[in-house]
Amino acid sequence: MDATILIVEDEKNINDVLGFTFSKAGYKTISAYDGPSGLDMCLNEKPDLVLLDVNLPGMDGMDVCKQIRKTSNVPIIMLTAREDEVDKVLGLELGADDYITKPYSARELTARVKALLRRATSENTNSQPKENSSIITSGDVTINVDRYEVKKNGKTLDITLREFELLKFLAEAPDQIFSREVLLENVWGYEYLGDVRTVDVTIRRLREKIEDDPSMPRYIITKRSIGYYFNKI
């Protein structure tokens, strides 16, 4: 594997264990031990994935994530010791693709990393134009499945990998209602152990990008007490 993982964790023993775990799995790893250094390494070293602790000296993980998202859609997994749902939701709202709460198993974390990297690799592989690209059009929104690209009124949207995967899954089955549990299983790509609020947060971020008025969505519709569906206009 040629993928590079940036580990931003201030506790050296945890950083070393993570480095050993992913090096053994065949990945290249680079490490930072505070927020500013992690942000600098991410922007300059261009890793394929970032493992980002929330509690960091200098700049906390939430701020690092926010700054990264201004210029990069690199997959980010937040590492947090906080059980508070508000903290988890905030990380996702700031653009993290996933989060995992300490203590976590190496096996679970590795599975999540592999799932995100598979999608990122697929995105890069399919980034070149194809003559027979699969296009989904609804109203003023266009989804290019092969190029992992979403446009609204002809303008390309700044959309994360996870947001794209969720939108694509819904749009490929218009008017079919999916529960949050089904969306977690299919979009997140593994037996997800997290909170179904993850789906709600990602839906909200998508609506802010593709809807004219997120409070009155036309494309991603909520079916109360059941789930969500894509409205083909």
Side-chain angles (χ1 to χ4, degrees):
M1 301 177 187
D2 296 325
T4 297
I5 299 173
L6 169 60
I7 303 167
V8 189
E9 165 63 64
D10 63 314
E11 294 189 36
K12 189 176 186 306
N13 60 327
I14 297 178
N15 202 313
D16 289 345
V17 169
L18 290 172
F20 175 79
T21 297
F22 288 104
S23 294
K24 188 176 180 180
Y27 299 101
K28 177 184 176 182
T29 64
I30 52 177
S31 294
Y33 300 92
D34 59 63
S37 296
L39 177 60
D40 184 67
M41 290 186 73
C42 182
L43 299 181
N44 290 291
E45 300 294 331
K46 309 294 184 185
D48 298 289
L49 183 141
V50 180
L51 294 176
L52 180 60
D53 188 35
V54 171
N55 295 314
L56 293 169
M59 177 188 297
D60 71 23
M62 299 293 187
D63 287 334
V64 174
C65 180
K66 183 178 180 180
Q67 293 301 316
I68 289 174
R69 280 292 173 257
K70 289 182 177 180
T71 58
S72 173
N73 281 327
V74 60
I76 298 173
I77 298 179
M78 302 291 290
L79 307 175
T80 176
R82 302 176 184 178
E83 292 290 345
D84 193 336
E85 182 180 334
V86 173
D87 290 317
K88 298 173 182 178
V89 170
L90 178 58
L92 293 168
E93 287 182 334
L94 291 174
D97 294 274
D98 202 352
Y99 65 83
I100 187 167
T101 304
K102 301 174 184 177
Y104 45 78
S105 71
R107 182 176 181 181
E108 181 186 356
L109 180 56
T110 301
R112 297 190 183 202
V113 166
K114 287 181 177 179
L116 275 176
L117 286 174
R118 277 197 302 269
R119 282 167 168 73
T121 300
S122 177
E123 177 184 11
N124 292 333
T125 300
N126 293 304
S127 62
Q128 296 302 317
K130 296 182 180 180
E131 184 176 348
N132 297 315
S133 292
S134 178
I135 305 292
I136 301 172
T137 301
S138 181
D140 54 13
V141 172
T142 302
I143 305 165
N144 189 317
V145 174
D146 292 326
R147 299 188 64 182
Y148 281 67
E149 183 179 73
V150 181
K151 291 184 178 182
K152 182 177 175 65
N153 291 321
K155 181 181 178 181
T156 301
L157 302 179
D158 183 15
I159 190 167
T160 69
L161 183 59
R162 188 71 78 193
E163 291 163 359
F164 178 87
E165 288 287 348
L166 180 56
L167 179 61
K168 170 178 172 289
F169 184 83
L170 290 169
E172 286 183 333
D175 301 322
Q176 181 175 341
I177 302 169
F178 295 99
S179 70
R180 293 165 175 82
E181 291 78 9
V182 169
L183 291 171
L184 280 173
E185 181 180 352
N186 284 275
V187 175
W188 273 250
Y190 48 83
E191 188 178 355
Y192 193 74
L193 302 176
D195 193 325
V196 292
R197 280 292 304 277
T198 301
V199 175
D200 297 333
V201 172
T202 309
I203 290 287
R204 183 161 64 248
R205 287 177 58 83
L206 270 173
R207 283 173 171 166
E208 289 172 354
K209 295 176 181 181
I210 70 171
E211 303 284 0
D212 293 328
D213 182 356
S215 66
M216 300 181 63
R218 294 194 304 153
Y219 298 106
I220 303 176
I221 309 300
T222 302
K223 188 67 173 180
R224 189 176 297 275
S225 302
I226 301 177
Y228 298 99
Y229 67 93
F230 184 82
N231 182 37
K232 188 80 155 73
I233 299 173

